[in-house]
Amino acid sequence: MSMKGTNSTSKGSGRAGVEPKRAEPSGAPTGVDRPELVRNIVLVGRSGAGKTMLLEALLASTGAITRMGSIADGTTVGDADPVAVHQQRSVALSVAPIVVGEVKVNLFDTPGYVDFVGELRAGLRAADGALFVVSAVDGVDAATIALWGECERVGMPRAVVISRLDHPRAHYDAVLAECRAAFGESVLPLSVPVESDGAVIGVLNLLSGEVSDYSDGAFQPVLRPGGEDQLERFALARGELMEGIIAESEDETLMDRYLGGDDIALDAIVDDLETAVARGTFFPVLATAATTAIGTAELLDLLVRGFPSPAEHAVPSVTDLDGKPARQLTCDPAGPLVGEVVRTTVDPFLGRVCLVRLFSGTLSEDTPVHVGGHGLADRGHPDHDSDERVGHLYAPFGASLRAVPRVVAGDICALAKLASAETGDTVSARDTPLLINPWDMPEPLMPVAIEAASHGDEDALAKSLAKVAAGDPTLRVERNPETHQLILWCMGEAHADVVLDRLRDQGVKLQTVDVVTPLRETFAAPAAGHGRYVKQSGGHGQYAICDIEVEPLERGAGFEFVDRIVGGVIPGPFVVSVEKGVRSQMLKGVSAGFPVVDIRVTLIGGKTHSVDSSDAAFQAAGALALREAAAAAKIQLLEPVSSVTISVPDDYVGSVMSDLSARRGRLTGTTSSGGETTEISAEVPDAELLRYAVELRALTAGTGRFRREYLRHEPAVRAG
């Protein structure tokens, strides 16, 4: 915003006044001693929007780094993760702080690809404001629109940055119109690009009428008055901006004065703009080009003066270990210690490193703490509590860490060697342990089956998988009890690739295999079986004979065993043995190796021997009898079917329903959920859902979401 030449304090906010001009380079910052001097801002937007390079430009412009890195070379601060370097895209949350005046700004870079929504939501949890980065080349996508709606529901302050203005296909006006159509009429430009000879050289501030000229290649622009043609061209946009800001003012007379032609002081307009941004009711748009640093000075000024400090942001609700609500906390360095682990990584030298947002209290070296994680048992993360001691504290800067003696409420820190901490855990005082309610996470719905390359690699796979799962609450690890496969439930193919890369980077030798759908077997018609288990090899032998009848039951009926022995030809204890044998064979299967379900087995006869009959012999006879009955009958394979609920924009309803039909799905209903969105309910065989998370995303341009729940097994009928 850079439109005042003196220090100022934003009204009613408690924010410290700061110099709006650029601070002198000070290197990577460490910590502060007051929450009012902190800003936590998350950069969000589609993949390729330019978030990581914008972060580089902000870091270089404040002296936190000596020069901007390159994504292609793997030298950016935000993408220091080895997997991100390998894949040439952001795959994890990273944080890099800068200093502007007295204020420390923690900037969170998040992945733009939808598979990494867990990292995105962690960034939203750690931040107090969001910067929506929209490419002037690609515009707004559906996922960004949905994310805007999420931020709107919680009242998070937001601003929009239209990036990549120096690209040959950049179209600022068209993308600005897209943003306003997608995000609402309260989205108005604060700065617009200025061109010379067809190239963007700076930005025009619509409030001050000044041009920030970056044509000399310096991070600090040259300020000059805007030309008459420029001011005339953007007069309408400036008028809309003034009216939009004044509409947010607490001074009810200001609009009448403005419409009456009064000259409104610029200071008053700026104060109202800052207040409106901080309370999340007005959303300025700034123009930037990261590679030439255009717009970075204006953006930094907005981050410091327009966005709220942690002291103005509500602390998430907390409970005690029994789940009883505790008193609402505030961002007070003298309050109870409460922080949350927003990311977990494994360093080869430091071990487990936890990125922590401290919401309340002050954390110092050698502090005893309680680490607790509850509410993610369904993701394979059982509830856990442990008392540990904090060793060294660090200020994170991308992949590097700088030691600090203490961290106050509102700031970000990194803790090493917390043995039990996982992403989403709460760090609190040992004598008054508390739990923060976990943030919402989507369910991983794409299964990937893996196995160790050799028997000797199994232990290494288990240990490495535990480390990876500890840092990724969107990953669910399952050992299927029926197929005995190790299944990784992932958000999509890109997420699966990252998980596998992380495992391999730790030296684990593994391979992926086809996911086996857990089928069932059942009898399609009645059958009879004769089980004869007679062995004589000298001395004590084995003797057991039984006859059974098998008949199918309706789906879901389970198993029934009926004893119709007459005259005691098989004593009671051996009747139980026959049932054990039948049940054992049912688990192993009788045709394709899948468990047998929904049958009634009736024991109708048999023979015993006074010496050679035994429990083991009659178990073997029962199993043989069931196998013989199966050989004489038609065995029906049953496949699992799930109840699926799909939420899609109305424009995609027809395509989704046609696709469901091709997947052998049965439509059970549709419901309009408001906001031009429809929920489609269907029953779909599980075999058709293995890659549905990926295919639904492609079918609906990334807007479709679904959830599933096992319903029943039914006869398998293949399409075609």
Side-chain angles (χ1 to χ4, degrees):
M1 293 183 288
S2 293
M3 52 200 73
K4 297 189 213 175
T6 59
N7 289 349
S8 65
T9 303
S10 297
K11 60 179 180 178
S13 67
R15 296 194 299 277
V18 298
E19 182 66 35
K21 301 298 183 182
R22 192 63 49 80
E24 290 296 319
S26 57
T30 52
V32 293
D33 57 4
R34 286 188 292 152
E36 293 81 5
L37 297 178
V38 178
R39 303 290 183 271
N40 294 306
I41 311 296
V42 60
L43 279 63
V44 300
R46 69 188 299 169
S47 183
K51 301 183 296 297
T52 299
M53 291 310 299
L54 179 60
L55 175 62
E56 288 291 301
L58 295 174
L59 293 172
S61 66
T62 54
I65 56 177
T66 56
R67 63 187 179 92
M68 293 174 58
S70 163
I71 293 176
D73 296 338
T75 54
T76 62
V77 173
D79 284 350
D81 187 299
V83 177
V85 174
H86 171 68
Q87 297 194 6
Q88 296 282 286
R89 63 180 172 189
S90 299
V91 299
L93 174 72
S94 65
V95 59
I98 57 177
V99 170
V100 183
E102 295 178 297
V103 176
K104 177 186 179 185
V105 183
N106 293 312
L107 294 169
F108 296 90
D109 187 17
T110 62
Y113 197 68
V114 68
D115 274 20
F116 308 114
V117 65
E119 303 286 338
L120 169 63
R121 292 185 184 276
L124 291 172
R125 182 62 162 236
D128 304 305
L131 201 61
F132 278 72
V133 183
V134 179
S135 168
V137 179
D138 302 314
V140 182
D141 67 337
T144 304
I145 296 173
L147 180 59
W148 182 276
E150 288 187 31
C151 292
E152 187 172 39
R153 285 190 288 274
V154 298
M156 176 172 278
R158 283 150 282 159
V160 178
V161 172
I162 297 181
S163 63
R164 303 180 67 196
L165 290 173
D166 52 349
H167 194 281
R169 292 191 292 108
H171 201 316
Y172 173 83
D173 292 335
V175 172
L176 174 61
E178 278 189 50
C179 291
R180 297 201 66 192
F183 303 147
E185 294 300 312
S186 293
V187 175
L188 290 168
L190 182 60
S191 66
V192 294
V194 172
E195 295 184 359
S196 177
D197 297 328
V200 177
I201 62 166
V203 295
L204 170 66
N205 190 306
L206 293 182
L207 289 184
S208 68
E210 288 185 321
V211 170
S212 297
D213 190 336
Y214 291 82
S215 58
D216 63 358
F219 288 112
Q220 186 67 43
V222 176
L223 300 180
R224 56 179 169 80
E228 289 186 11
D229 58 332
Q230 293 170 331
L231 297 177
E232 182 178 348
R233 178 188 173 192
F234 294 108
L236 178 60
R238 183 180 189 277
E240 290 181 342
L241 176 64
M242 292 286 288
E243 291 183 17
I245 295 172
I246 292 173
E248 299 291 335
S249 176
E250 296 176 358
D251 184 349
E252 297 179 358
T253 68
L254 203 58
M255 181 63 78
D256 292 336
R257 289 166 51 201
Y258 173 72
L259 295 177
D262 286 1
D263 186 17
I264 307 299
L266 184 59
D267 284 359
I269 295 296
V270 172
D271 284 344
D272 285 335
L273 169 63
E274 294 169 354
T275 302
V277 172
R279 68 189 180 199
T281 55
F282 184 82
F283 317 104
V285 181
L286 292 91
T288 66
T291 55
T292 53
I294 290 174
T296 52
E298 291 70 27
L299 177 55
L300 283 169
D301 197 43
L302 175 68
L303 296 180
V304 171
R305 296 172 57 200
F307 280 91
S309 73
E312 302 165 71
H313 196 260
V315 173
S317 58
V318 296
T319 67
D320 61 22
L321 298 186
D322 294 327
K324 297 177 181 177
R327 68 180 179 87
Q328 183 63 44
L329 300 179
T330 60
C331 185
D332 181 4
L337 178 64
V338 174
E340 186 170 30
V341 179
V342 294
R343 186 160 191 254
T344 306
T345 58
V346 178
D347 184 273
F349 303 104
L350 295 175
R352 188 171 297 192
V353 178
C354 299
L355 185 66
V356 175
R357 161 69 193 264
L358 197 61
F359 287 104
S360 175
T362 298
L363 189 59
S364 302
E365 291 182 331
D366 205 36
T367 301
V369 296
H370 177 85
V371 178
H374 292 204
L376 291 174
D378 59 335
R379 298 295 181 87
H381 299 268
D383 292 353
H384 55 275
D385 295 278
S386 65
D387 291 333
E388 302 193 39
R389 183 175 294 275
V390 172
H392 294 295
L393 284 174
Y394 300 94
F397 187 81
S400 63
L401 301 172
R402 291 190 174 189
V404 293
R406 65 183 188 130
V407 177
V408 299
D411 207 353
I412 305 297
C413 67
L415 307 179
K417 300 181 180 179
L418 291 182
S420 63
E422 300 181 353
T423 300
D425 283 3
T426 303
V427 178
S428 58
R430 182 180 293 180
D431 54 350
T432 55
L434 296 169
L435 293 171
I436 297 178
N437 293 328
W439 63 81
D440 291 335
M441 283 290 179
E443 182 74 16
L445 293 169
M446 193 189 88
V448 177
I450 64 171
E451 60 184 29
S454 66
H455 181 72
D457 294 313
E458 291 181 354
D459 287 344
L461 174 59
K463 292 177 181 178
S464 295
L465 194 53
K467 294 177 183 178
V468 172
D472 189 352
T474 62
L475 173 67
R476 180 160 58 89
V477 182
E478 173 192 48
R479 176 70 72 175
N480 190 294
E482 297 177 21
T483 66
H484 306 294
Q485 284 190 306
L486 181 59
I487 304 293
L488 307 181
W489 288 91
C490 304
M491 299 301 300
E493 285 183 325
H495 184 210
D497 288 344
V498 168
V499 172
L500 295 176
D501 278 354
R502 294 200 192 287
L503 291 172
R504 290 174 176 134
D505 284 347
Q506 295 180 39
V508 177
K509 296 179 181 179
L510 58 85
Q511 58 195 17
T512 59
V513 294
D514 291 339
V515 176
V516 177
T517 302
L519 303 179
R520 302 280 193 275
E521 300 174 5
T522 194
F523 281 65
H530 176 71
R532 176 184 173 85
Y533 189 74
V534 178
K535 290 187 176 183
Q536 295 290 338
S537 56
H540 190 69
Q542 299 289 338
Y543 188 96
I545 297 175
C546 65
D547 293 294
I548 62 171
E549 292 178 346
V550 183
E551 55 187 313
L553 299 176
E554 51 184 50
R555 297 286 76 79
F559 170 64
E560 293 182 17
F561 185 84
V562 179
D563 176 13
R564 288 188 181 168
I565 292 297
V566 178
V569 294
I570 299 179
F574 292 154
V575 170
V576 175
S577 300
V578 173
E579 181 179 354
K580 287 181 181 179
V582 169
R583 287 182 179 272
S584 176
Q585 189 62 52
M586 287 176 64
L587 291 175
K588 298 175 184 177
V590 293
S591 175
F594 297 105
V596 178
V597 296
D598 301 336
I599 60 172
R600 178 187 293 120
V601 173
T602 304
L603 179 61
I604 58 174
K607 295 180 180 179
T608 63
H609 188 279
S610 59
V611 175
D612 294 340
S613 291
S614 66
D615 170 64
F618 271 98
Q619 286 192 44
L624 288 170
L626 186 65
R627 292 204 298 269
E628 183 178 289
K634 179 181 179 181
I635 300 300
Q636 173 72 63
L637 287 179
L638 306 175
E639 64 179 338
V641 175
S642 287
S643 172
V644 178
T645 303
I646 308 158
S647 178
V648 294
D650 293 344
D651 292 344
Y652 297 104
V653 169
S655 299
V656 170
M657 291 174 67
S658 296
D659 180 70
L660 286 173
S661 178
R663 295 175 185 278
R664 301 183 288 133
R666 292 188 294 273
L667 185 69
T668 58
T670 60
T671 305
S672 176
S673 55
E676 301 182 346
T677 301
T678 296
E679 283 198 347
I680 303 170
S681 301
E683 297 176 358
V684 186
D686 283 13
E688 304 289 346
L689 296 174
L690 296 179
R691 289 180 47 81
Y692 194 57
V694 177
E695 290 156 351
L696 176 64
R697 190 178 301 153
L699 190 65
T700 63
T703 59
R705 303 288 184 271
F706 80 104
R707 59 184 185 273
R708 60 187 285 184
E709 184 177 357
Y710 169 75
L711 195 61
R712 61 180 175 271
H713 274 70
E714 59 182 41
V717 179
R718 296 297 176 188

